[in-house]
C-alpha cells in the first residue's frame, strides 16, 4: 500500500515536472524569445530595401563577407504587364546586362591569359592586332596597361573623348580607330573609352594563337566566338557560372524602364555579341556577387593568382577607387541607356568595401530626366551605396562617421 502511494506520487511529480519544462520551452507570445541578433549587414540590406521597394523598379543586391552571403534582397519587376512576356518579378537570379562591369571581367580574362603566356601589362598590343589593319601613328606605343587604365590615347573618332558605344566597338569601328592613330600627347592621359576594352575581343584570340585570314567578316565572327569561349571557360566557369552570354535569355528578357514610371513599354537592348568586351555580358546579381567576392575578397586563385590580383588592384586596371569615412573602396559601375522623351536603362555596380566586404547592386530603371540612378535626391549609384554602408556601420559602432566621399572618377561609366 505504501509502495503504491510512493509510486503514484513519483509518477505525478514527474508529469508535473515534464509539463513545466514543456511550457518553459514554448515561446511566450507576450515575451517572445529573441531571434538571431541583427547584424550590420542586415541593417545595410534593410536600408537598401526600404529605399528601393517604394520606387516600384526592378532591383536586387547581394552583400558578401569573403565568400559568404551575409544579406541579399530584391523587388519590383523585370517585365511588366504591358510587355509580351507579362508580369515577372526581378529576383537575385534575374539576368541583366551588367554594362561596364564587363570591363573588369575582360581584364580578369586577359590577366589570366597573360599569366599563362608570360605577357606583361607593359607589353605593346601592336603585335596582336590583325596584320591587315593599317596602324596609325603611335599605335605601336600602346600597352595593355594603357588600355585597361583608359590612358591609351584613344579619344574616339570625333576627337572629343566622347565615349563611343556601338559604332566604335564593332570590328570596323575598332579598325578605324587603329587606323586613325593617336597623338603622342594624349597617351598617358585618362579618357574613358569603351574601345579600350572592345579591342580585347580581338587581342585575346590573337594571343591564343588565332591566325587572322584577312577576311573581315570571318575574322570578326571568329574573334567574337573565341573571346567569349575563353571568358566563359577561364572566368565564369571557374566559379561555377555556366550560362553567361552577351544576350538576353531567349524569351525571357529583362526590360529597362524609366523612373518615375509611366505607362511606357520597357526597352530590350538586345544582343551584344558583336561588341562584347567593354560591355555586353549578362549575369544575375547572385552570379556577379559570387564572381567578384571570389576574386577580390578571398584567397581563391582559380582565376587570378595573388600576384596578378595585386597587379590589377595596385594599377587600377578596369576599376576605380575612392575614399569614404570608413576607409577605401574599389568598384566599377555600369550604365546603359536609351534616351527618347525620357531616359530608360540599367545601372549596375560591384564594390569592394573594407574588410573583404563585396556588394553588388542592379536596378533596371534610370531617372527619367537625369538619366542616372533612380534616386530622389540626385545621388548616383556609387554615393547611394556608400552612404547606406556608412550609415549601417555607424549604427553598429554607435559613432557618427565624419568626412566625405571622394571618387577618383565620379562620372557614370
Amino acid at each position: 500500500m505504501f509502495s503504491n502511494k510512493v509510486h503514484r506520487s513519483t509518477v505525478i511529480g514527474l508529469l508535473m515536472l515534464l509539463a513545466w519544462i514543456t511550457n518553459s520551452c514554448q515561446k511566450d507570445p507576450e515575451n517572445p524569445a529573441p531571434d538571431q541578433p541583427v547584424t550590420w549587414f542586415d541593417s545595410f540590406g534593410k536600408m537598401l530595401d526600404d529605399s528601393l521597394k517604394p520606387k516600384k523598379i526592378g532591383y536586387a543586391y547581394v552583400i558578401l563577407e569573403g565568400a559568404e552571403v551575409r544579406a541579399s534582397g530584391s523587388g519590383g519587376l523585370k517585365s511588366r504587364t504591358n510587355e509580351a512576356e507579362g508580369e515577372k518579378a526581378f529576383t537575385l537570379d534575374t539576368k541583366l546586362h551588367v554594362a561596364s562591369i564587363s570591363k573588369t571581367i575582360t581584364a580578369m580574362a586577359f590577366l589570366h591569359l597573360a599569366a599563362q603566356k608570360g605577357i606583361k601589362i607593359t607589353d605593346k598590343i601592336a603585335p596582336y592586332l590583325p596584320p591587315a589593319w593599317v596602324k596609325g601613328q603611335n599605335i605601336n606605343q600602346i600597352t595593355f596597361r594603357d588600355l585597361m587604365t583608359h590612358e591609351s590615347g584613344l579619344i574616339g573618332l570625333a576627337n572629343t573623348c566622347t565615349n563611343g558605344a556601338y559604332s566604335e566597338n564593332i570590328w570596323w569601328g575598332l579598325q578605324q580607330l587603329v587606323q586613325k592613330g593617336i597623338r603622342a600627347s594624349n597617351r598617358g592621359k585618362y579618357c574613358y573609352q569603351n574601345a579600350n576594352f572592345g579591342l580585347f575581343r580581338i587581342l585575346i584570340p590573337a594571343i591564343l594563337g588565332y591566325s587572322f585570314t584577312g577576311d573581315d567578316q570571318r575574322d570578326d565572327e571568329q574573334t567574337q566566338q573565341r573571346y567569349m569561349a575563353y571568358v566563359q571557360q577561364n572566368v565564369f566557369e571557374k566559379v561555377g557560372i555556366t550560362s553567361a552570354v552577351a544576350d538576353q535569355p531567349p524569351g525571357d528578357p529583362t526590360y529597362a524602364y524609366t523612373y518615375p514610371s509611366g505607362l511606357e513599354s520597357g526597352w530590350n537592348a538586345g544582343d551584344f555579341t558583336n561588341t562584347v568586351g567593354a560591355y555586353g555580358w549578362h549575369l544575375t546579381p547572385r552570379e556577379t556577387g559570387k564572381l567578384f567576392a571570389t576574386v577580390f575578397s578571398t584567397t581563391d586563385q582559380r582565376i587570378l593568382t595573388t600576384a596578378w590580383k595585386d597587379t590589377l588592384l595596385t594599377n587600377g586596371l578596369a576599376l576605380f577607387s575612392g575614399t569614404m569615412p570608413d576607409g577605401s573602396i574599389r568598384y566599377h559601375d555600369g550604365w546603359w541607356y536609351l534616351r527618347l522623351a525620357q531616359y530608360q536603362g540599367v545601372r549596375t555596380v560591384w564594390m569592394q568595401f573594407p574588410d573583404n566586404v563585396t556588394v553588388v547592386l542592379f536596378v533596371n530603371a534610370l531617372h527619367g530626366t537625369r538619366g542616372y540612378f533612380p534616386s530622389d535626391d540626385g545621388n548616383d549609384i556609387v554615393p547611394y551605396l556608400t552612404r547606406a554602408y556608412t550609415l549601417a556601420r555607424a549604427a553598429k559602432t554607435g559613432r557618427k562617421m565624419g568626412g566625405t566621399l571622394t571618387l577618383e572618377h565620379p562620372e557614370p561609366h
Side-chain angles (χ1 to χ4, degrees):
M1 190 72 167
F2 176 77
S3 61
N4 285 339
K5 286 183 180 179
V6 171
H7 178 71
R8 189 180 300 113
S9 299
T10 303
V11 170
I12 292 171
L14 288 171
L15 289 173
M16 291 176 65
L17 177 62
L18 180 61
W20 179 83
I21 293 172
T22 302
N23 288 333
S24 64
C25 289
Q26 294 176 347
K27 290 186 176 180
D28 182 345
E30 296 183 1
N31 297 286
D35 294 326
Q36 291 295 320
V38 175
T39 68
W40 77 267
F41 295 103
D42 299 318
S43 300
F44 190 3
K46 186 175 186 304
M47 288 180 185
L48 300 180
D49 281 319
D50 288 350
S51 64
L52 292 171
K53 278 189 186 296
K55 296 182 184 300
K56 301 187 185 304
I57 61 172
Y59 78 91
Y61 66 87
V62 185
I63 304 170
L64 303 98
E65 183 181 33
E68 182 181 354
V69 176
R70 300 299 301 270
S72 62
S74 63
L77 301 174
K78 61 178 279 184
S79 174
R80 297 177 182 172
T81 54
N82 56 338
E83 313 299 351
E85 296 78 11
E87 185 174 298
K88 293 185 178 181
F90 196 112
T91 73
L92 292 169
D93 297 310
T94 292
K95 291 280 189 181
L96 187 71
H97 176 213
V98 301
S100 287
I101 286 177
S102 300
K103 291 179 174 67
T104 318
I105 294 168
T106 294
M108 290 178 188
F110 166 72
L111 295 176
H112 183 89
L113 180 57
Q116 293 175 327
K117 299 293 187 179
I119 293 174
K120 302 186 293 294
I121 63 172
T122 53
D123 287 347
K124 304 292 197 296
I125 70 168
Y128 304 99
L129 292 171
W133 282 15
V134 176
K135 283 78 172 176
Q137 62 177 346
N138 300 311
I139 290 296
N140 62 351
Q141 297 302 308
I142 297 176
T143 69
F144 292 105
R145 182 187 182 280
D146 292 335
L147 294 180
M148 291 186 286
T149 56
H150 298 284
E151 296 178 350
S152 65
L154 295 174
I155 59 172
L157 292 174
N159 292 323
T160 60
C161 195
T162 301
N163 188 21
Y166 178 80
S167 63
E168 292 184 7
N169 282 272
I170 57 174
W171 173 276
W172 291 272
L174 294 170
Q175 186 178 31
Q176 289 179 64
L177 286 169
V178 169
Q179 182 174 344
K180 179 175 175 289
I182 63 168
R183 294 179 181 175
S185 58
N186 286 334
R187 184 170 169 260
K189 292 182 180 178
Y190 176 81
C191 174
Y192 186 84
Q193 293 287 293
N194 284 325
N196 285 315
F197 285 85
L199 281 167
F200 280 99
R201 191 177 67 252
I202 294 161
L203 296 169
I204 286 175
I207 296 168
L208 287 167
Y210 176 66
S211 296
F212 294 97
T213 66
D215 180 331
D216 284 336
Q217 183 173 347
R218 176 172 175 77
D219 289 339
D220 182 22
E221 292 172 353
Q222 286 295 310
T223 51
Q224 289 172 28
Q225 294 170 15
R226 292 162 190 258
Y227 160 82
M228 291 183 65
Y230 189 81
V231 176
Q232 288 163 341
Q233 294 164 14
N234 294 280
V235 177
F236 297 134
E237 291 178 12
K238 296 290 186 183
V239 293
I241 300 171
T242 58
S243 58
V245 294
D247 196 3
Q248 300 265 25
D252 191 26
T254 300
Y255 288 95
Y257 295 99
T258 189
Y259 172 82
S261 176
L263 298 176
E264 81 285 351
S265 294
W267 174 43
N268 179 355
D271 187 354
F272 292 94
T273 301
N274 65 344
T275 55
V276 67
Y279 53 84
W281 286 109
H282 286 60
L283 297 169
T284 72
R286 195 191 307 274
E287 290 170 339
T288 309
K290 182 178 184 180
L291 172 61
F292 283 93
T294 299
V295 174
F296 294 129
S297 296
T298 75
T299 58
D300 189 291
Q301 299 188 60
R302 286 172 293 175
I303 298 174
L304 294 179
T305 65
T306 300
W308 281 104
K309 290 180 188 182
D310 289 344
T311 296
L312 188 152
L313 295 171
T314 57
N315 286 275
L317 307 179
L319 57 78
F320 301 105
S321 300
T323 57
M324 57 178 191
D326 205 32
S328 299
I329 58 170
R330 295 186 177 98
Y331 70 95
H332 207 303
D333 52 315
W335 182 41
W336 201 255
Y337 68 87
L338 172 70
R339 186 179 185 183
L340 298 174
Q342 289 189 306
Y343 284 95
Q344 292 174 253
V346 301
R347 202 78 172 92
T348 61
V349 69
W350 70 264
M351 189 175 295
Q352 185 190 41
F353 289 99
D355 301 320
N356 291 321
V357 173
T358 304
V359 182
V360 166
L361 172 62
F362 290 1
V363 298
N364 70 336
L366 296 177
H367 193 282
T369 55
R370 290 193 298 268
Y372 300 156
F373 183 74
S375 64
D376 296 316
D377 60 7
N379 273 324
D380 204 358
I381 194 167
V382 174
Y384 166 83
L385 194 58
T386 55
R387 181 175 64 180
Y389 169 91
T390 299
L391 290 173
R393 293 288 294 172
K396 176 183 183 294
T397 61
R399 59 187 178 86
K400 186 177 180 180
M401 299 289 186
T404 58
L405 172 67
T406 304
L407 299 178
E408 177 186 16
H409 294 289
E411 72 278 8
H413 304 104

